[in-house]
Amino acid sequence: MTEPFAPRPATASKSAPLSGTVRVPGDKSISHRALIFGGLASGETRIAGLLEGEDVLRTAAAMRAMGAALARRPDGTWQVTGTGNGCLLAPEGPLDFGNAGTGSRLVMGLAGAYAMRTTFVGDASLSRRPMGRVLDPLRAMGVQVVEAAPGDRMPITLEGPKHTAPISYRVPMASAQVKSAVLLAGLNAPGVTTVIEPVMTRDHTERMLTGFGAQLEVTRGADGARHIALEGQGRLAGRTLTVPGDPSSAAFPLVAALLVPGSRVTIENVLMNETRAGLIETLVEMGGDIAVDNRREEGGETVADLTVRGSELRGVAVPAERAPAMIDEYPVLAVAAAFAEGETRMAGLGELRVKESDRLSAVAAGLAANGVDCRSGADWLTVRGRPGGAGLGGGTVETHLDHRIAMAFLVMGLASERPVTVDDRTMIATSFPDFEPLMARLGATIAAPDGVPA
Ligand code: S3P
């Protein structure tokens, strides 16, 4: 199991205008999938722009443990030689996913459908997260859950049947991870596996499966739900792909530039897939000055360059239906709302409770510790802002092993009257290893609490 570590706090303080042009690392969701599909496909896959964060490297290790060959080349691209669909090998030891919910849930679907034993372990945060949402459909496909901690939590050992049953599964919560786990299990099942998705979530799995040559069809039911039908046991063929910049990472320099008066920051090559674009839509509604330039297609996805200027924001009501398109961005949106004129109301946030931390509680506690007037309920959060950040800051935020809580509150400290401290920044490396140097290049003041540059 992942070893505990010594926490490394950091403090962000009021910064002069941020300026510069940056690129954020590759999209985390696409990076996991690129390694999984590349590791499964026949032949060679070349990946440019892969996120080399800890979460993704765990997925690389898991695919290697099951027979794929993966190597980083001197030019920074990754070369993956897959096993061929249906040909994964039993790993010799447990697969340790660290902090990574996406990697672990997707690989549970993938490996769970094989007639072999696979054990999944993770860190304290991952071991608290509910896995029943993936195990339930896998059980329906004939997968045996040999071992699980109470509440279907890790450590988990799965053993697939001789012949995995293709099923039709209506996903009960808005979750791309659950959708993807069922489709990945369906890759090794004879016949058609159908996932019914009442609320559309990020569609990278569908796009990439098609790109790797899977027979996949998406239709709409009479009620508007998406029906994703996948023909199992087909051939996947290796390919070349480029991972666009992660909008969930871009969110941090983007909001920082909006909040620090006089800033002007360009973030190049950001993924603009509409299932991920909820934050930009919301910030523009709040009065954020965000120019979307140079929209172009790259590797089956739309990317663009974003130029962001310091802006006076006003509170808005964010509709619950938008939550799947910005589910990872609520911590930083809540921080933006703390500086907006009036109230920002966020609804439909139930899924935030089962992320790397209970993000709804962690955000509400972090805001309160820094003087922000906020209220929250089971699945909502309301924030009353203070334009200019007068009186804000001065608190320490508990990050609960959650990278996005750490980054969101460091952004807060750049614009609030007093500094904001986070109790640990170690986990930032799971998704955005360059966060601190990139922010420093833009002029952000983030340091260890003893004043040493972070
Ligand atoms: C992800 C799906 C989302 C998101 C996570 C990445 C994915 O989780 O929060 O960071 O890559 O499929 P859920 O599927 O649990 O909503």
Side-chain angles (χ1 to χ4, degrees):
M1 231 154 298
T2 313
E3 291 299 318
F5 54 86
R8 293 158 57 237
T11 299
S13 41
K14 209 170 175 63
S15 294
L18 305 180
S19 69
T21 297
V22 289
R23 282 189 173 223
V24 293
D27 186 71
K28 182 150 79 81
S29 294
I30 294 179
S31 294
H32 281 299
R33 287 160 174 82
L35 292 178
I36 291 172
F37 295 133
L40 191 61
S42 303
E44 190 180 300
T45 289
R46 266 306 167 89
I47 309 166
L50 188 83
L51 165 64
E52 293 171 343
E54 285 174 7
D55 276 15
V56 174
L57 298 179
R58 300 273 181 177
T59 292
M63 294 310 295
R64 200 173 279 130
M66 293 190 292
L70 301 95
R72 186 183 199 276
R73 297 176 55 87
D75 65 358
T77 63
W78 281 66
Q79 181 177 349
V80 182
T81 308
T83 59
N85 187 23
C87 302
L88 291 177
L89 303 175
E92 278 175 10
L95 304 179
D96 187 344
F97 279 94
N99 194 248
T102 304
S104 59
R105 289 186 172 132
L106 267 54
V107 174
M108 274 184 205
L110 173 72
Y114 279 68
M116 63 188 193
R117 279 199 176 198
T118 320
T119 297
F120 297 81
V121 298
D123 71 2
S125 154
L126 189 56
S127 303
R128 276 193 294 269
R129 297 180 69 180
M131 296 295 158
R133 51 180 56 203
V134 169
L135 299 187
D136 287 344
L138 291 181
R139 287 179 174 112
M141 299 175 90
V143 178
Q144 196 192 340
V145 180
V146 179
E147 180 207 5
D152 275 345
R153 290 180 163 79
M154 286 183 182
I156 286 173
T157 299
L158 302 179
E159 184 164 349
K162 253 204 174 102
H163 302 289
T164 301
I167 58 169
S168 175
Y169 189 70
R170 195 176 177 93
V171 184
M173 68 290 290
S175 170
Q177 292 177 358
V178 176
K179 163 175 69 177
S180 304
V182 177
L183 290 171
L184 281 159
L187 279 175
N188 199 35
V192 177
T193 294
T194 304
V195 175
I196 302 167
E197 185 179 55
V199 182
M200 184 169 179
T201 61
R202 65 192 68 195
D203 61 354
H204 311 304
T205 297
E206 297 93 301
R207 285 174 187 253
M208 286 178 70
L209 273 173
T210 304
F212 275 90
Q215 296 301 308
L216 179 138
E217 200 174 278
V218 182
T219 53
R220 289 268 177 194
D223 60 355
R226 290 175 82 231
H227 291 231
I228 306 147
L230 171 73
E231 179 76 49
Q233 300 186 331
R235 184 173 187 277
L236 301 181
R239 54 177 293 214
T240 296
L241 52 100
T242 301
V243 183
D246 193 331
S248 300
S249 296
F252 300 105
L254 192 159
V255 169
L258 288 177
L259 297 184
V260 177
S263 297
R264 185 185 189 281
V265 167
T266 297
I267 311 166
E268 292 179 337
N269 196 41
V270 180
L271 173 69
M272 298 299 285
N273 181 312
E274 66 178 38
T275 64
R276 304 285 301 280
L279 178 72
I280 293 177
E281 187 179 356
T282 304
L283 291 170
V284 168
E285 283 175 10
M286 293 173 81
D289 183 346
I290 305 171
V292 180
D293 298 316
N294 199 10
R295 252 183 205 273
R296 56 204 185 270
E297 291 296 310
E298 230 180 72
E301 294 278 8
T302 305
V303 298
D305 304 331
L306 308 177
T307 295
V308 189
R309 290 181 174 80
S311 305
E312 286 175 13
L313 302 179
R314 53 185 178 271
V316 294
V318 188
E321 308 80 72
R322 200 177 290 162
M326 55 179 296
I327 194 65
D328 292 334
E329 281 68 81
Y330 283 100
V332 79
L333 175 65
V335 163
F339 295 83
E341 176 80 51
E343 211 169 66
T344 297
R345 296 197 298 277
M346 293 160 258
L349 307 187
E351 280 293 304
L352 288 194
R353 298 223 177 254
V354 291
K355 295 297 176 190
E356 285 81 335
S357 66
D358 173 346
R359 277 190 184 153
L360 193 37
S361 295
V363 167
L367 292 174
N370 285 288
V372 181
D373 178 4
C374 69
R375 286 173 294 128
S376 60
D379 68 348
W380 57 269
L381 176 69
T382 298
V383 176
R384 178 165 286 283
R386 289 210 208 162
L392 299 185
T396 296
V397 177
E398 285 184 57
T399 52
H400 302 281
L401 298 176
D402 190 328
H403 55 133
R404 298 202 200 279
I405 298 297
M407 289 186 278
F409 281 97
L410 288 173
V411 166
M412 180 176 187
L414 303 178
S416 39
E417 185 182 326
R418 283 174 293 156
V420 173
T421 297
V422 300
D423 67 357
D424 184 29
R425 60 191 149 100
T426 313
M427 305 319 287
I428 291 174
T430 61
S431 68
F432 197 162
D434 284 346
F435 173 75
E436 289 164 25
L438 180 144
M439 294 301 289
R441 276 206 303 284
L442 294 176
T445 43
I446 299 176
D450 56 11
V452 178

